Every structure is written in structure tokens, then in C-alpha cells.
Amino acid sequence: MDYRALTDYLGKNEVHYERNAKTSSLVSFRIGGTADLIVYPDTEGELAQVLKISHENGYKYVVLGNGTNSFFCDGNYGGAVIVTSRLNRIYTEGDTLVAECGASLTECAKVAMENGLCGMEFLFGIPGSVGGAVCMNASAFGSSVSDILRESRVIDVENNSIYVLGAKEHDYYIKHSAFSGNKNLVALESRFHLCKGDKEAIRAKMSDFLKRRSMSQPLDFPSAGSVFKRPRGLYASKLIDEAGLKGLTLGGVSVSEKHAGFIINKKDGTAKDLLKLIEIIKIVIRHKSGTELEEEIIYME
Ligand SMILES: Cc1cc2nc3c(=O)[nH]c(=O)nc-3n(C[C@H](O)[C@H](O)[C@H](O)COP(=O)(O)OP(=O)(O)OC[C@H]3O[C@@H](n4cnc5c(N)ncnc54)[C@H](O)[C@@H]3O)c2cc1C
């Protein structure tokens, strides 16, 4: 594919990009081959322009936050990976925290704490970005992004328009949102409604959550967090554990011994290994408990 229209724009505007670059370093699973282009817009205007040019010219593209819920194919991703990490501004306005899509969740939680605002503690330690969390409705310790999200400013690439999406219009249900499966809707910035609280109490809650994460999650290996969505009224990790699948290994990837909901990349795992292991887990759980597991992690092929 000739990306001339896009590379001309990137060159003229000094937007950083790489050609035929590795995708594995963009994702926490450390799995993936290469991509035709990896683009790092510095501003919202650049992001909007990159999306517009890609759409108008029929280039395949995907928006990537911190890559902690995604993995790429082993071969070449024949399109542009648009990374939001440089759009990372965070600020507060009264009891509202505003963050650009590429801002880190952990940084948001810290800024909220420093400003004596509570409600974001559960995001501390989730390694993703605001855009990824708004898309996936990130949740932990009984709280979800949908509990605190007030609105997002979004770009609709198809219609080349920017508008505000209210909380309800995010259309959330378990790990699904208006963004799921719709690459043309991109979150630019989100506003979160928080409450005044005691800074030290917020700090203590955050450090408790972090401790609980390191006790229950295999943080010493690359992963993408929980592989499967939570089936209604059940826990995927419990079903996998009860089916005796902890430690099951295929090539370089294994079901974590520490948390059965996680698959870890033990050594040079590939997307092929991972897809096969996911399929085996789904078949075993279907036969043993009649539950249909559904992937939470996103495969970019
Ligand atoms: C060790 C570990 C622990 C984790 N713990 C948790 C946890 O407790 N709770 C939880 O919910 N998750 C958890 N996760 C998963 C992950 O961190 C979250 O889902 C996070 O919200 C994903 O953010 P990201 O920026 O990494 O998303 P990415 O992987 O970059 O992207 C995920 C999806 O969002 C889309 N996307 C990204 N940015 C935008 C945007 N601006 N607009 C529209 N779409 C966008 C992407 O196209 C993709 O479809 C964990 C992961 C790891 C590795």
C-alpha cells in the first residue's frame, strides 16, 4: 500500500512516524510482528488529521492507547497504527478531572489524589490509557469507568465531525461500549465526575489496591490482563481454575498459575500460540460448565 497522502502530511508537519516497525513493543503482551506505519500524533489536531487522511484514502488503521488490552498478528499489520501516548494532558476543574485520550490511568488517579478528589482510586495500577479505558469500560474492585464518566469529546471519522458524547451515549454494558468494533469513533478527551475527599485516605486506598494487584496478578510476566469478559453472574478465572487449566501451556504462552484469568507470555509467545490457547480454554469451559467465554482482549490483524 502506498501511504503517500499520509506520509506527505506527516513529513510536512513533522509528526513522528515509523515504517515497517515492530508492534510487539507497543503492547504489554509483547506479541506481534510489524506494521506498515506507526504514527505518534502530538496534538488532537494532528490525530484528527491522520484519521481523516487515512479514512479518505482507504488506509486501514487502528487507534492504540497503551496496548495493555491488545495484541497484534505475528506477520505484518497492513495498515497504520495510530498511537495516542503523546496526547496525555490531565487537569482538574473543580470536582471534574479532564484527561486526553493518551493519558495514563495511574497518572489520572495520582492527579485526582493530589487535588483531594476521590472516585478514581480503582484505576490506580491499571496500566492502560484513558481512551482504552473509556472504550473498554475498565473496572476493578467493584468500580467502573462508567460510574465516574461524565462525557467524552469524540471524533466521528466517517462524518469528519467532533462532538460531545454524554455518559449514557457511551452505551456501556459488560466490557462493551459505543466504541467497540467501531474504529471510526475515537475518544479525544474525557471528563470524570469525582468527589471531594481526604487526600491521605485516597492515598491509602490507592496503595491498598496496588498491593492487592501485586498479590493476585502475575505482574512479572507480559500479559494483557484478564483475557475473557466476565460471564453474567460468574468469574471466568474461577471457571478456568476449576477446569484445572492453570499452567496449561502452548508454545510460549501459559494460563497463569497465579490468576487463571490471565494468560502470560512466558517466552517468545506468538499470536498463533495465544489464539490456539484461547480456543482450547473456550472449548474446555464450554464442555465442562456450558459457559461460552468471550474474549475481552482485542486482536489486531
Ligand atoms: C497487568 C494488567 C492488569 C490489568 N488490570 C485491569 C483491571 O484491573 N481492570 C480492567 O478493566 N482492565 C485491566 N487490564 C486491561 C487494560 O489495562 C485495560 O482494559 C485498559 O483500559 C486498556 O487501555 P489501553 O490504553 O492499554 O487500551 P489498548 O489496548 O491500547 O486498546 C484497547 C481498545 O481500545 C481502543 N482504543 C484505545 N484508545 C482509544 C481511543 N482514544 N478512542 C477509541 N478507542 C480507543 C483500541 O482500538 C482497542 O480496541 C489490565 C492489563 C494488564 C496488562
Side-chain angles (χ1 to χ4, degrees):
M1 169 74 82
D2 171 12
Y3 293 94
R4 181 68 60 82
L6 185 53
T7 52
D8 278 357
Y9 167 79
L10 299 172
K12 268 189 206 131
N13 292 278
E14 296 181 10
V15 180
H16 181 62
Y17 73 98
E18 296 161 12
R19 274 182 184 276
N20 305 320
K22 277 189 163 185
T23 52
S24 57
S25 57
L26 298 177
V27 295
S28 55
F29 239 135
R30 300 287 177 256
I31 284 177
T34 52
D36 284 351
L37 280 182
I38 301 179
V39 185
Y40 298 86
D42 283 300
T43 65
E44 191 179 294
E46 288 176 1
L47 171 60
Q49 204 54 29
V50 168
L51 289 166
K52 181 170 183 276
I53 295 169
S54 301
H55 179 67
E56 282 175 355
N57 290 276
Y59 304 150
K60 181 172 160 181
Y61 67 86
V62 68
V63 172
L64 191 74
N66 215 19
T68 63
N69 217 25
S70 310
F71 65 108
F72 284 90
C73 53
D74 293 322
N76 183 52
Y77 176 83
V81 180
I82 304 166
V83 183
T84 63
S85 57
R86 296 182 176 199
L87 282 85
N88 53 15
R89 198 162 56 112
I90 306 169
Y91 59 95
T92 57
E93 279 176 358
D95 59 4
T96 299
L97 183 137
V98 188
E100 282 189 304
C101 58
S104 124
L105 297 173
T106 288
E107 283 308 311
C108 287
K110 278 192 208 163
V111 170
M113 183 267 291
E114 279 154 14
N115 285 276
L117 294 172
C118 62
M120 269 202 156
E121 299 89 332
F122 72 101
L123 293 175
F124 190 60
I126 300 184
S129 70
V130 165
V134 166
C135 171
M136 306 300 301
N137 194 15
S139 53
F141 306 110
S143 299
S144 301
V145 160
S146 54
D147 299 333
I148 54 170
L149 184 68
R150 180 169 272 171
E151 61 188 35
S152 300
R153 203 149 44 75
V154 299
I155 180 160
D156 177 344
V157 183
E158 188 110 51
N159 300 308
N160 190 29
S161 61
I162 292 182
Y163 57 92
V164 172
L165 200 67
K168 282 212 176 103
E169 294 163 314
H170 284 67
D171 199 16
Y172 284 129
Y173 59 91
I174 307 169
K175 298 286 175 181
H176 173 278
S177 72
F179 301 90
S180 309
N182 179 7
K183 72 178 175 64
N184 289 325
L185 190 65
V186 177
L188 298 173
E189 183 183 88
S190 296
R191 300 173 82 85
F192 300 94
H193 179 55
L194 306 175
C195 308
K196 290 267 176 296
D198 174 65
K199 209 165 151 174
E200 282 320 306
I202 298 168
R203 194 196 305 273
K205 200 167 174 186
M206 281 164 48
S207 89
D208 174 51
F209 284 164
L210 202 61
K211 209 180 294 166
R212 285 158 68 179
R213 281 183 177 282
S214 70
M215 273 159 52
S216 63
Q217 298 182 350
L219 301 180
D220 40 354
F221 286 101
S223 81
S226 296
V227 172
F228 300 101
K229 294 180 184 177
R230 197 182 151 185
R232 200 166 288 281
L234 299 166
Y235 288 97
S237 57
K238 192 161 181 280
L239 294 173
I240 297 167
D241 190 2
E242 285 170 358
L245 297 179
K246 270 187 172 175
L248 182 67
T249 299
L250 208 144
V253 300
S254 301
V255 177
S256 164
E257 299 272 3
K258 195 168 178 182
H259 187 314
F262 280 51
I263 291 179
I264 53 173
N265 181 0
K266 266 196 160 164
K267 195 173 187 296
D268 304 328
T270 62
K272 196 171 164 215
D273 297 339
L274 182 56
L275 291 166
K276 190 92 197 134
L277 186 57
I278 289 173
E279 208 41 53
I280 292 170
I281 296 169
K282 286 172 75 169
I283 291 169
V284 173
I285 300 303
R286 192 179 302 136
H287 283 284
K288 291 218 172 191
S289 69
T291 305
E292 202 57 47
L293 290 181
E294 195 188 335
E295 290 90 319
E296 175 179 328
I297 55 174
I298 314 278
Y299 179 38
M300 298 178 171
E301 56 178 329

